[in-house]
Each structure stands twice: as C-alpha cells, then as structure tokens.
Amino acid sequence: MSQEVEQEIDVMHGLRTVLAQIESAVSRRSKDLPQIYPRLVAVSKIKPASLIVQAYEAGQRHFGENYVNELADKAIDPLILEKCKEIKWHFIGHLQTNKINKLLSSPGLFMVETVDSEKLADNLNKQWQKHRKDEAKLKVMVQINTSGEEAKNGIEPLETCTLVEHVLKNCPHLEFVGLMTIGQYDYDVSKGPNPDFITLAKCRQEVCDKLNLDINNVELSMGMSSDFEHAIELGATTVRVGSNIFGARPPKKA
C-alpha cells in the first residue's frame, strides 16, 4: 500500500464511528439476551503495520487475521512489537494442521475462533502445552457453518454439542469461550432477522442446556462490516470489522 493511500485512510475516525454504532446497537438489543458488551475485533487483513499502530494508539486492542502467515509476520513486526505491547491477536480463518506451530508461536496470540474438528482441537491442545506450558489456557471458539455453504468452513449445527463437549472434556489446555460463524454475505435484513445469527444463538442455547453451561459465559462471534449492528441486536458478543476501520480492501482477482 502506498504512503499516499495510507494517509487517506482515517483509522481513528473509522474506529470511533464503529464504536458509536456498537453502542447504539447495544441499546436496541433485547433485555432477554445476555448483557455482555460486545468485543470489537479489528480485522487488519492485508493492511500494513502502521495502520494497526494507529488503531492501537486510538485504544483498540483486539485484532483479527484470516491467514496464519500474515498474523505470524505482523505479530513479530518490529513496529508492532515496539508500539503495541498489549495487542491481542484473534485467528479467524481456516486453520490447517501444518500451520498450528507457526500460529501458536506468534506473540500476542489471544484466541483461535475457528476450531472445526476434534482433530484440530486435539492438535491445538497438544501443541499449546509445548509452546506456552507456563501460560494460561488458549482461548478457542467452535466454528459453525450456519449457512450450509460448501465454501464456508465450520461444523454443522447438529454437531455443536459433540465438539464443544470434546473440547471441555479432552483438551485441558484449551479454554472454550464460545461459538463463531461467518454466515452468508449480504443478507437482506428486510426479510427478517438473519437466520445464520438466529441459528448460532440456538446452538449456544442447546450447548448450555445439554452441557450445563452458564449462557453468560458462552460468547457469540458473528457479524462483520456490513452487518455487525444487526448481529449485536441478535446477541453477538464479538464482531469482526475490517473495512469500516481500515478502508476497503481491493477486490479479489478473478
């Protein structure tokens, strides 16, 4: 990204706007939902370290990346290491087994939001102990493919309890904190509440009922730049917002 383009992006304004929208959405949320104030994860995919530092200096602490290599590189970037000492990285992309070690060795890793198999959970559990045996458990979310799209990762909703129970019973170095979904893009809310968000909330209720968990301790990560306000109204406790803060990403090449 050129310096000229970078200067045109007002990260502080974008961040302030998103935080105000989050607060407004919280005020519209049903009082029947768990009253957990949403965490904003600023998705910095393909954006330079300098913009991450701007967001950090404006008060943002949680940042998300979709690709292991990019998170690992940014986590050891000298500028970020110097300026962002309390940064908390969320991995929000598909995690391949052969990339686990690289991800877990990244300083500042806070959470993996995309656990979608017992095999992946077992590997994370095993490798976390090797990398960070003196540290607290690794926070993880279970990813659900609520839209049933082949292009999306995640387990089927009916498998949710089984995988969550596996993490709780067989992965002592992992801390299960909630459920995550991507959902279908560009859903038209004039048709009613987003069914993907409704499904994720139902999965949480089922998990809490069957596994005797406190619903206030089970988070929902759902909602991105185009729909995070709607997600909060339906119970999101984490929203993943990128372009509204850092500017639009260039379109994918055909």
Side-chain angles (χ1 to χ4, degrees):
M1 177 179 289
S2 71
Q3 193 168 3
E4 285 182 20
V5 174
E6 186 179 320
Q7 288 174 346
E8 290 174 7
I9 299 170
D10 189 343
V11 170
M12 189 172 293
H13 173 73
L15 190 59
R16 278 201 304 262
T17 300
V18 169
L19 291 172
Q21 289 172 309
I22 288 174
E23 191 167 344
S24 178
V26 167
S27 71
R28 298 191 299 270
R29 183 175 59 185
S30 168
K31 301 304 179 189
D32 294 332
L33 291 167
Q35 298 301 300
I36 304 166
Y37 199 84
R39 174 197 294 120
L40 170 62
V41 175
V43 181
S44 44
K45 184 168 65 172
I46 80 166
K47 299 298 182 177
S50 55
L51 292 186
I52 294 172
V53 171
Q54 284 186 39
Y56 185 92
E57 290 179 341
Q60 181 63 21
R61 291 295 178 268
H62 293 267
F63 292 82
E65 289 291 342
N66 290 68
Y67 300 105
V68 171
N69 289 347
E70 189 167 2
L71 188 154
D73 289 346
K74 287 177 176 174
I76 60 171
D77 184 286
L79 186 63
I80 290 177
L81 287 172
E82 177 191 354
K83 302 280 191 179
C84 311
K85 297 190 184 301
E86 296 178 2
I87 197 166
K88 294 176 170 61
W89 291 108
H90 292 238
F91 185 70
I92 58 174
H94 180 57
L95 181 55
Q96 297 171 303
T97 303
N98 63 348
K99 295 288 184 73
I100 286 177
N101 284 327
K102 187 168 189 176
L103 178 64
L104 298 190
S105 62
S106 302
L109 180 66
F110 179 77
M111 186 185 298
V112 176
E113 295 197 15
T114 49
V115 173
D116 60 1
S117 70
E118 292 184 2
K119 179 183 177 183
L120 179 57
D122 290 340
N123 275 295
L124 284 170
N125 180 67
K126 180 180 178 181
Q127 298 304 325
W128 183 253
Q129 185 184 22
K130 292 180 181 179
H131 284 275
R132 317 280 185 99
K133 62 181 179 181
D134 297 326
E135 295 189 21
K137 297 179 180 183
L138 172 64
K139 297 180 188 296
V140 298
M141 289 187 174
V142 167
Q143 182 179 7
I144 317 296
N145 185 351
T146 52
S147 59
E149 297 170 87
E150 288 187 15
K152 300 256 172 40
N153 294 299
I155 60 172
E156 293 184 12
L158 290 173
E159 301 172 333
T160 306
C161 285
T162 301
L163 182 51
V164 171
E165 186 173 29
H166 178 83
V167 172
L168 291 171
K169 289 187 174 180
N170 301 304
C171 301
H173 304 294
L174 303 183
E175 179 186 351
F176 168 72
V177 297
L179 307 176
M180 177 266 211
T181 192
I182 295 173
Q184 58 183 303
Y185 297 119
D186 299 322
Y187 173 76
D188 182 0
V189 293
S190 69
K191 298 177 180 177
N194 187 321
D196 292 316
F197 299 161
I198 296 293
T199 295
L200 197 69
K202 286 181 177 177
C203 287
R204 175 174 65 178
Q205 188 65 58
E206 184 180 1
V207 161
C208 292
D209 291 344
K210 289 191 174 180
L211 302 180
N212 196 28
L213 301 178
D214 183 347
I215 197 169
N216 294 292
N217 295 330
V218 181
E219 299 185 30
L220 295 180
S221 176
M222 59 190 195
M224 296 181 284
S225 286
S226 63
D227 57 9
F228 69 92
E229 293 176 88
H230 181 57
I232 289 170
E233 291 172 23
L234 295 179
T237 64
T238 290
V239 291
R240 311 177 302 270
V241 181
S243 56
N244 292 22
I245 298 169
F246 295 112
R249 291 188 286 268
K252 291 181 179 179
K253 295 179 181 178

